[in-house]
């Protein structure tokens, strides 16, 4: 921010933040600390967002032999020639400072007996660089701490149990947000509404992760990008037709030695390869063994290291110390979203986006594990600061369009037609889905005639070098434009 925000008319906020996950809470805090007036809109009570459920941690180069450059190299390798490299440099360069800032503010990360931060290993990382809080309860600890900081900070008005239903947009500029409890006018509006992985029926995400942010932003006139790239997490519990189906077994447990076994009890892949490779290996092996399941062997893992994972498994009727757990890929993280620059600026003036609903291009075609919580902090702060510099404009008429959530039929269709393995003939059927994001996913996945990262086509199995660094932009009129981001 270049200075104190210019005077605003009565009743208008400097920043309206939509969503109170890690990104929204942190962005609200940063903006208010910089002197901005903030209105934080949260569909649920604070600290019950999707970030709350995050089992993974924050990735940052903190170990003495590690550097942001090595972290960047791993991120680029996992992203399969689709990462926007300046965004990767920002993420990996700012990550260690973010961790120091959080520690200085009193965030309690897990530590070794000598007091140093505990650093875990996850797939695709060449160094131990994942920090957790409360073991696999990082999301809960982080959002709880951030929510307390927000409550103690002057300048933030929290509107809980309030849902964004549209943006206050005239198609040229965003002037705030329309909620089910009335409009909120703001100098800048920051979408931090989380991901879209619950649009797939089989998912590790809570129900609310239905991509409302991209749907609302697109209807208001913003561009979306990389919608064909969803990450399918390899180790979601396979328990069809039970409430446990799709629940996540954190990758950190593979970092500590859990192994994947096929039907004959043989190991068949490197459990710590990047996620798209592990998912592909599981799918191939399931096909080879005619649909019979893959299992994750936790026999070598001390339960006290992952108490909440073991408790969850036991509650669901598994005996993790005695019998390997059936697992299969489930939708976990959306790499695509609202197209933004490195300061979270969307293509609609006055609208910013950060966190999983946004697409900076930092994750490319396959996100490196635990880069997403880091992303919430790094890009959440940048977007909040940039938003405070906006010049306020006179709001126009309130638009008539309102967000409608997807039906169970859409979730079923997205899973069946645009799942971990997809074919053109199936994607064509998704294009006309009534939920706009489902149709847009169908359209972009159909247009990308290759396999890369999270996008695996059975009719185009190869990666095509000509499509390296080529992003598919979904325009507000529903057309698709290929673009290179430098
Ligand atoms: C996990 O703990 O396996 C998930 C973390 C992440 O998605 O980064």
């Amino acid at each position: 921010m270049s200075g104190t925000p210019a005077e605003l008319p009565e009743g208008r906020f400097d920043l309206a933040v939509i969503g109170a996950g890690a990104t929204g809470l942190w962005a609200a805090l940063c903006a208010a600390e910089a002197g901005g007036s903030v209105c934080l809109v949260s569909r649920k009570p604070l600290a019950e967002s999707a970030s709350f459920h995050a089992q993974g941690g924050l990735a940052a180069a903190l170990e003495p032999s590690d550097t942001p450059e090595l972290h960047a190299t791993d991120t680029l390798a996992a992203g399969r020639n689709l990462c926007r490299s300046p965004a990767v440099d920002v993420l990996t360069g700012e990550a260690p400072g973010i961790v120091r800032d959080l520690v200085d503010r009193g965030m309690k990360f897990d530590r070794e007996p000598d007091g140093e931060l505990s650093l875990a290993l996850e797939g695709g990382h060449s160094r131990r660089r994942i920090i957790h809080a409360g073991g696999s309860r990082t999301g809960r600890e982080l959002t709880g701490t951030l929510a307390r900081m927000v409550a103690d900070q002057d300048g933030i008005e929290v509107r809980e149990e309030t849902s964004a239903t549209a943006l206050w947009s005239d198609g040229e500029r965003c002037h705030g947000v329309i909620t089910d409890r009335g409009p909120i006018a703001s100098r800048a509006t920051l979408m931090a509404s989380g991901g879209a992985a619950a649009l797939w029926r089989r998912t590790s995400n809570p129900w609310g992760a239905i991509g409302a942010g991209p749907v609302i932003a697109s209807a208001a006139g913003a561009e979306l990008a990389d919608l064909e790239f969803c990450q399918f997490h390899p180790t979601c519990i396979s328990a069809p037709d039970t409430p446990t189906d799709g629940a996540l077994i954190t990758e950190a447990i593979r970092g500590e030695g859990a192994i994947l076994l096929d039907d004959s009890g043989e190991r068949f892949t490197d459990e710590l390869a990047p996620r798209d490779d592990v998912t592909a290996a599981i799918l191939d092996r399931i096909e080879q063994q005619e649909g019979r399941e893959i299992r994750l062997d936790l026999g070598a893992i001390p339960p006290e290291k992952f108490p909440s994972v073991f408790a969850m498994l036991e509650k669901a009727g598994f005996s993790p110390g005695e019998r390997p757990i059936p697992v299969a890929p489930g939708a976990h993280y959306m790499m695509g979203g609202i197209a933004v620059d490195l300061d979270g600026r969307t293509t609609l003036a006055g609208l910013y986006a950060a966190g999983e609903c946004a697409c900076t291009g930092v994750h490319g075609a396959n996100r490196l594990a635990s880069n997403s919580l880091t992303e919430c902090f790094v890009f959440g702060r940048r977007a909040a600061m940039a938003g405070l510099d906006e010049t306020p404009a006179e709001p126009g008429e309130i638009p008539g369009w309102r967000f409608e959530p997807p039906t169970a039929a859409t979730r079923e269709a997205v899973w069946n037609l645009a799942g971990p393995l997809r074919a053109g003939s199936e994607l064509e059927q998704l294009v006309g889905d009534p939920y706009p994001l489902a149709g847009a996913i169908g359209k972009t996945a159909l247009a990308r005639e290759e396999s890369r990262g999270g996008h695996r086509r059975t009719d185009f199995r190869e990666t095509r070098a000509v499509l390296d660094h080529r992003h598919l932009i979904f325009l507000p009129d529903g057309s698709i434009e290929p673009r290179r981001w430098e």
Side-chain angles (χ1 to χ4, degrees):
M1 185 190 167
S2 53
T4 313
E7 280 289 294
L8 275 179
E10 184 71 26
R12 226 185 290 179
F13 292 90
D14 287 309
L15 189 68
V17 179
I18 304 167
T23 307
L25 290 165
W26 178 245
L29 201 58
C30 294
E33 286 175 352
S37 58
V38 180
C39 183
L40 177 60
V41 176
S42 176
R43 194 168 54 79
K44 292 192 174 178
L46 280 197
E48 281 187 27
S49 60
S51 317
F52 174 88
H53 300 274
Q55 291 184 27
L58 269 99
L62 297 164
E63 192 217 88
S65 75
D66 200 2
T67 62
E69 290 71 30
L70 280 175
H71 185 184
T73 303
D74 294 344
T75 302
L76 292 168
R80 311 298 184 202
N81 287 337
L82 203 86
C83 293
R84 188 192 218 163
S85 57
V88 174
D89 292 343
V90 165
L91 180 89
T92 57
E94 294 187 12
I98 286 286
V99 173
R100 280 191 292 274
D101 187 355
L102 289 170
V103 169
D104 290 347
R105 288 165 183 265
M107 179 67 206
K108 302 255 180 293
F109 290 112
D110 296 342
R111 292 186 178 268
E112 298 295 331
D114 65 2
E116 291 295 319
L117 286 172
S118 293
L119 297 173
L121 188 62
E122 289 184 358
H125 288 274
S126 59
R127 294 286 188 284
R128 286 192 165 262
R129 61 167 79 97
I130 322 298
I131 55 166
H132 289 91
S136 49
R137 293 160 55 101
T138 307
R140 181 183 302 238
E141 301 292 332
L142 258 179
T143 48
T145 305
L146 289 172
R148 283 192 291 280
M149 290 179 193
V150 162
D152 289 345
Q153 174 67 44
D154 287 339
I156 305 177
E157 185 174 319
V158 180
R159 303 220 182 144
E160 288 177 306
E161 301 189 34
T162 301
S163 294
T165 54
L167 289 169
W168 193 339
S169 164
D170 52 23
E172 303 286 320
R173 195 186 194 289
C174 178
H175 303 281
V177 53
I178 314 298
T179 76
D180 54 0
R181 297 180 181 225
I184 298 166
S186 53
R187 172 197 304 278
T189 305
L190 173 60
M191 188 64 84
S193 55
L199 210 46
W200 282 258
R201 186 207 3 105
R202 187 176 155 69
T203 179
S204 62
N205 282 213
W207 182 89
I210 49 173
V215 172
I216 291 174
S218 173
E223 293 178 357
L224 310 181
D226 289 355
L227 299 178
E228 66 276 36
F229 294 109
C230 172
Q231 182 167 70
F232 295 93
H233 196 290
T235 54
C236 294
I237 297 176
S238 174
D241 304 322
T242 75
T244 320
D245 191 47
L248 185 72
I249 304 184
T250 177
E251 186 158 326
I253 226 162
R254 280 179 273 135
E256 296 305 318
I259 52 172
L260 285 162
L261 302 176
D262 68 10
D263 194 33
S264 51
E266 294 295 320
R267 247 183 112 179
F268 59 93
T269 190
D270 169 9
E271 289 83 358
L272 288 177
R275 244 171 229 177
D276 56 346
D277 278 346
V278 182
T279 289
I282 291 178
L283 292 170
D284 288 348
R285 188 51 64 109
I286 290 176
E287 196 179 331
Q288 282 160 21
Q289 56 187 39
E290 293 166 356
R292 289 187 299 281
E293 62 200 2
I294 295 301
R295 290 178 176 262
L296 184 67
D297 187 348
L298 306 182
I301 309 296
E304 61 278 12
K305 244 187 150 161
F306 295 92
S308 51
V309 176
F310 277 76
M312 178 267 287
L313 289 168
E314 276 157 14
K315 193 164 163 222
F318 295 104
S319 308
E322 289 159 30
R323 259 184 74 71
I325 312 299
V327 291
H332 179 63
Y333 183 89
M334 190 68 178
M335 269 78 72
I338 307 164
V340 292
D341 69 10
L342 302 188
D343 288 316
R345 224 171 259 110
T346 71
T347 54
L348 177 67
L351 178 65
Y352 291 73
E356 192 175 342
C357 68
C359 178
T360 55
V362 71
H363 305 302
N366 175 52
R367 176 178 62 96
L368 185 67
S370 285
N371 267 354
S372 46
L373 268 180
T374 310
E375 170 191 27
C376 295
F377 289 94
V378 168
F379 290 103
R381 170 143 68 193
R382 292 172 76 93
M385 294 299 103
L388 294 185
D389 270 342
E390 282 284 331
T391 309
E394 216 27 65
E397 300 226 327
I398 292 189
W401 181 91
R402 293 291 177 271
F403 174 76
E404 288 288 339
T407 60
T410 286
R411 298 181 67 218
E412 197 64 36
V414 176
W415 175 253
N416 289 332
L417 305 173
L421 287 173
R422 44 204 46 192
S425 56
E426 294 163 352
L427 293 167
E428 273 167 15
Q429 297 172 51
L430 193 59
V431 168
D433 192 275
Y435 188 63
L437 188 59
I441 289 167
K443 222 169 179 178
T444 47
L446 189 60
R448 185 171 283 277
E449 295 187 331
E450 64 161 354
S451 290
R452 181 186 296 266
H455 172 71
R456 280 190 99 205
R457 291 270 304 249
T458 51
D459 46 352
F460 292 96
R461 289 192 178 263
E462 303 302 317
T463 302
R464 293 166 59 200
V466 68
L467 297 179
D468 284 359
H469 302 291
R470 187 68 69 92
H471 300 267
L472 295 182
I473 310 299
F474 185 81
L475 302 176
D477 67 5
S479 59
I480 292 176
E481 191 178 290
R483 215 175 277 166
R484 283 183 79 85
W485 285 344
E486 300 308 331

